[in-house]
Structure formats: C-alpha cells, structure tokens
Amino acid sequence: MPYLMYLHGFNSSERSFKSNCIHDRLKKLGLSNSYLMPRLSWEPNQAIIQASRLIESHLSEGITLVGSSLGGFYAGYLAEKYAINAILVNPAVSAHELLVDYLGDQVNPYTQEEYQLTTEHIAQLEKLDAPMTSVERYWLMLQEGDEVLDYSKALSKYPDVRLTLEPLGDHSFVNFERHINNILTFSKLL
C-alpha cells in the first residue's frame, strides 16, 4: 500500500486544516495507516532530515508528498531527490527570498515553540532550491488570491505540470477539501 506524506508550512504544524482534512478522509476509508504527517523542525536542514528518513523508510511501497507553502518548497526538493510525486499547494518557491522578512525571533502559533530564524537558515533554504526535472511528477495547486505568495512565481517554476489554478481564494487554499479524492487518486490510494 502506498503512502501519502503531508509537509506543513512555516510556523504551522502537522495538524493544520489541510492535513486534518486528508487524515479524516483516509480514516473514513480505513487507510489512516497510509498517512504520514510529521511535525517538521523549524530549521530547514533538520526538516529535510526528518522528512528524508520517513521517505526512505517507505520508498519501496511508494510515497507521494503533499506540501503546503514552505512544505511545498520542501516537497519540490524531496520529489527531485527521491524521484517521487509531489502535490504542491500554494508553494513558497523562493523560500529563501520570502523568509528574509521573518529573520529574528519567532513563535509558532500552533506549537508555541520559540526560536530564532537566522541568515544561516536562509542559506540552508537557498541550497534546497531544486530545479524541476520531470513534469509528470508534479501537481501544482494554486489560488490567485494568495495574500502571502505570488502564485505566478510557482507557475514560472513549474511550467507544464498538472495544474489546478483557481481565481480568488487565499494562502490557506480555500475549500481544499474539495480536492481530497483527487489527491488520493494521484497518490494511488484510491
């Protein structure tokens, strides 16, 4: 049985709305054991190590990533590293440029974890910026009303991939739950 792994965004958690929607659907189908939703470290290199270990332990069964925002950035890197499929939801395609505005003290509102984002972490993100090598590997999900990220940057980085582009919406991807059955089909869980 293949696996689906959710990668959450910056200052989010594994229990985000989108992750919970997927988990609830898989639970109803009796497939909750096929869902991985790690709490990723705020430090980029650590987050990649955590995700890589999970991917490697399930690679032989097949694994698809769903990444939102910064998790979408990580999913792009990991999809290339492991030649696996990834669904990118309003991804932060230039994370190292975006997060410069957040340097300094941080508190994750979901976990209450306190930390300091530094230029070293920005440099780690820059090293993870991987070019796409296979259009078949990706599904890009964007909403034009994203108030955090410019959706056109994701269109430029991931041309010719499977695309869901919706007008309006926001960074959270409004009405995400409408797409869960298609996500499960793309992930070979349905």
Side-chain angles (χ1 to χ4, degrees), residues 40-53 70 73-74 77-78 81 117 120-129:
L40 299 175
S41 171
W42 57 267
E43 184 181 3
N45 284 350
Q46 278 304 114
I48 293 300
I49 289 168
Q50 290 172 296
S52 293
R53 285 183 182 143
L70 181 60
F73 175 81
Y74 291 154
Y77 170 81
L78 293 163
K81 179 178 179 181
L117 188 67
E120 177 186 331
H121 302 122
I122 300 300
Q124 290 175 14
L125 289 169
E126 191 168 10
K127 289 179 183 174
L128 297 172
D129 195 3

Side-chain angles (χ1 to χ4, degrees), residues 21-37:
C21 285
I22 296 168
H23 184 255
D24 290 348
R25 180 70 177 122
L26 286 170
K27 193 173 180 180
K28 285 178 185 171
L29 293 169
L31 297 171
S32 57
N33 289 338
S34 295
Y35 190 48
L36 307 170
M37 41 191 221

Side-chain angles (χ1 to χ4, degrees), residues 14 16 25 33 35 37-38 50 60 74 80 97-98 101 117 121 135 138-139 145 152 161 169 171-172 174 181 186:
E14 75 283 8
S16 70
R25 180 70 177 122
N33 289 338
Y35 190 48
M37 41 191 221
Q50 290 172 296
S60 63
Y74 291 154
E80 292 300 325
E97 295 171 3
L98 177 71
D101 293 339
L117 188 67
H121 302 122
V135 297
Y138 294 95
W139 176 8
S152 67
V161 301
H171 189 61
S172 71
V174 174
N181 282 345
F186 184 84

